[in-house]
Amino acid sequence: MISVLIVEDENTIADLHSQFIGSLDGYRVVGIASTVQQATMMQQALTPDLILLDHFLPDGQGLGLLRQWRTLASMPNIVFVSAANDVEVIRDALALGVFDYLIKPIDYQRLRHTLDRFQAYRHSLTSERPLQQEELDQLLIANSQRPHNRRESHGVDPYTLDQVMACFRYVTEEHNASTLAEQAGLSKTTARRYLDYAVRQGRLVAHLQHGSVGRPIRTYHRPHPSPSP
């Protein structure tokens, strides 16, 4: 069983990560940390096999944790998960030895591909028998393969949609593309696409909110329940 520590400061996203990983055979989530300090303590106490690490945390950055963990006798295996998509951060994370780098919003089928590769990687390297060159070549090739795009044809990932809908806990809760993007860790364009998709599916209702100045803002909320007859 592969133990996983999730380092993510957005509770909704952390819960979705945990639910998804917990649904996979051979994996179990042993902890969720929301700060650098918590991540440091939990890594020492739990020594997880794999860490899902966000970059932007309230008291520091994921790259700082990577540099800290690299000084350990045995560096943890890291999957870097972040909205940071600039080349400098990606280059530094790869140079520090992360197993994979996923850009938010996460395509959970892409994460599944990563976890499948990690499971095969771990199984091969924990084998007691020596590896032949052909076996090692297959492992290295598998680690460099690009995953097939398993998203639905309309471009909506079901777990990202769940992440969006989790931001509408109550009928009275409203969001526009900007507020949802900030809460769910999405780009504004992606947030609007998922919001409009949820409207087409009947899961959300949209209306225009007129302010005192500027253009009206498109706002979304859950449908109000029909009154009892």
Side-chain angles (χ1 to χ4, degrees):
M1 188 70 71
I2 297 173
S3 59
V4 181
L5 171 64
I6 297 170
V7 182
E8 167 63 60
D9 67 318
E10 290 287 344
N11 292 336
T12 300
I13 298 176
D15 288 343
L16 285 171
H17 291 352
S18 180
Q19 292 170 20
F20 179 78
I21 294 171
S23 71
L24 303 178
D25 291 336
Y27 281 91
R28 65 186 178 98
V29 176
V30 294
I32 297 176
S34 59
T35 65
V36 168
Q37 183 178 13
Q38 288 180 357
T40 300
M41 295 173 59
M42 294 178 78
Q43 189 279 326
Q44 292 174 347
L46 300 172
T47 59
D49 301 312
L50 182 66
I51 299 175
L52 260 64
L53 177 62
D54 191 12
H55 180 50
F56 298 113
L57 297 167
D59 57 342
Q61 295 185 336
L63 283 178
L65 276 171
L66 276 176
R67 295 187 179 98
Q68 173 185 320
W69 287 333
R70 196 175 185 185
T71 64
L72 300 177
S74 178
M75 179 182 172
N77 293 289
I78 308 291
V79 172
F80 212 67
V81 180
S82 179
N85 59 359
D86 56 288
V87 174
E88 184 177 356
V89 174
I90 295 172
R91 183 184 63 238
D92 288 349
L94 295 176
L96 288 167
V98 298
F99 184 81
D100 204 350
Y101 194 116
L102 303 184
I103 297 174
K104 291 181 176 178
I106 289 182
D107 178 340
Y108 279 88
Q109 293 302 323
R110 173 66 172 82
L111 176 58
R112 173 66 181 268
H113 178 86
T114 295
L115 296 176
D116 286 346
R117 290 192 296 115
F118 180 76
Q119 202 167 38
Y121 167 84
R122 180 175 169 81
H123 176 75
S124 297
L125 294 187
T126 54
S127 173
E128 294 184 359
R129 65 178 180 81
L131 290 178
Q132 301 299 316
Q133 182 64 55
E134 293 80 3
E135 295 173 301
L136 180 56
D137 290 343
Q138 289 179 1
L139 179 61
L140 294 174
I141 292 171
N143 280 349
S144 64
Q145 284 179 343
R146 297 179 61 185
H148 297 293
N149 186 356
R150 301 179 184 177
R151 289 191 178 197
E152 299 174 359
S153 58
H154 44 62
V156 173
D157 175 70
Y159 284 93
T160 302
L161 181 60
D162 287 344
Q163 177 180 333
V164 167
M165 294 306 302
C167 296
F168 295 88
R169 293 167 294 179
Y170 311 108
V171 173
T172 55
E173 196 162 3
E174 294 187 345
H175 284 288
N176 57 47
S178 296
T179 61
L180 179 75
E182 182 177 355
Q183 182 166 333
L186 308 173
S187 70
K188 187 175 178 180
T189 300
T190 299
R192 184 179 295 109
R193 176 161 57 86
Y194 276 84
L195 286 167
D196 290 339
Y197 175 80
V199 170
R200 293 194 299 272
Q201 293 293 306
R203 302 179 65 177
L204 292 176
V205 174
H207 67 274
L208 292 178
Q209 187 175 59
H210 296 271
S212 57
V213 295
R215 293 164 50 184
I217 298 174
R218 192 173 176 87
T219 305
Y220 303 79
H221 60 81
R222 287 188 180 272
H224 294 286
S226 301
S228 302

